Amino acid sequence: MKRSSGARLCATAAIGALSLSLLTACSDDGSKDAADSKTSASSSAASSSAPATKAHTKAELEKLLLAQGELKGYKVDSGDDTLPASKSVVKTDKPACDPLAWATAALAPGDTDANAGNTVAEDKTAAGATAKPTDLADAFDIDMTFVGLSSYAGDGAEKAMKAVSDGVKTCAGGYGLKADGENTKVTRVAADKGSGKGDETVAFVEDVDMDGQGKATFHAEVVRKGNTVATFYTVNFAGFEKGGDMGAVPAAVIDAQVAKLK
């Protein structure tokens, strides 16, 4: 049954509220079929040389983030208004699940203070689109990816990847999340097919209860290159209208960001 415009507005508002609880913010700037039970394991734990012993600084990580103009068809924003400032505002009811929550909020999934993040969103106007959206769902049909970079000394990056991989298994039955005073229930976590980029990747999907209006499936990927870890988490606000899948992480974003890492 096709929903009325009012129902679409409610669904969009629900998605906005979800983003607030997951990422402490909601943005208007941000199709695949719903992720069904066919999600597959994708920890491509490729062997790699020993990571560098010295971590990048926050300032150095900010320079390694994708910048405006470096990826055609996408807009890059600092994320200052859409990303949580620190891990202290993103908590779960199961410590083992904290790395997953942090990874979906562009925060360091491991033990480090060297962290930087931004947002990378589709720029359909740059692609030459001139037609106006026909309805609310079309207006919000934009992939927005929250990108985080973190750097570690010694084997810290590898430990961070293990924490994420372990979290996917331990938190399979879900967990409770509190961000900036908002509570959200993640009902399922499962391994997903990753890009295989960098030295090691872990990808996962999360089903989230949409406050009694159904579920939404979100995709995340974590990539290690040397002693730097990149996290990617994508939201497409029109996804709730299209079966509940909120969009896979665009391969172009992963490729371009990992290529910049040293």
Side-chain angles (χ1 to χ4, degrees), residues 249-262:
V249 181
V253 175
I254 296 177
D255 291 347
Q257 179 59 81
V258 174
K260 285 196 69 174
L261 300 184
K262 300 177 180 179

Side-chain angles (χ1 to χ4, degrees), residues 91-142:
K91 295 293 184 180
T92 75
D93 59 0
K94 298 177 183 178
C97 305
D98 285 346
L100 304 184
W102 294 333
T104 61
L107 295 167
D111 185 14
T112 181
D113 293 326
N115 184 81
N118 64 4
T119 62
V120 182
E122 281 186 292
D123 185 1
K124 293 187 175 181
T125 59
T130 57
K132 293 183 179 180
T134 57
D135 60 17
L136 192 59
D138 290 337
F140 284 89
D141 191 7
I142 296 174

Side-chain angles (χ1 to χ4, degrees), residues 52-55 112 151-157 227:
T53 58
K54 185 179 179 181
T112 181
S151 190
Y152 307 78
D155 62 353
N227 67 335

Side-chain angles (χ1 to χ4, degrees), residues 17 56 136 141 178 185 219:
H56 290 301
L136 192 59
D141 191 7
K178 186 174 183 179
K185 179 62 179 176
H219 298 255

Side-chain angles (χ1 to χ4, degrees), residues 187-241:
T187 60
R188 180 186 73 104
V189 179
D192 200 9
K193 184 177 180 180
S195 65
K197 298 297 180 178
D199 298 318
E200 186 178 2
T201 66
V202 177
F204 60 95
V205 293
E206 294 185 331
D207 287 347
V208 178
D209 177 35
M210 298 295 284
D211 197 21
Q213 297 189 47
K215 74 171 183 178
T217 299
F218 294 84
H219 298 255
E221 182 161 345
V222 183
V223 179
R224 179 179 68 81
K225 186 172 181 180
N227 67 335
T228 301
V229 173
T231 62
F232 305 89
Y233 176 74
T234 296
V235 177
N236 184 313
F237 291 97
F240 195 66
E241 288 283 291

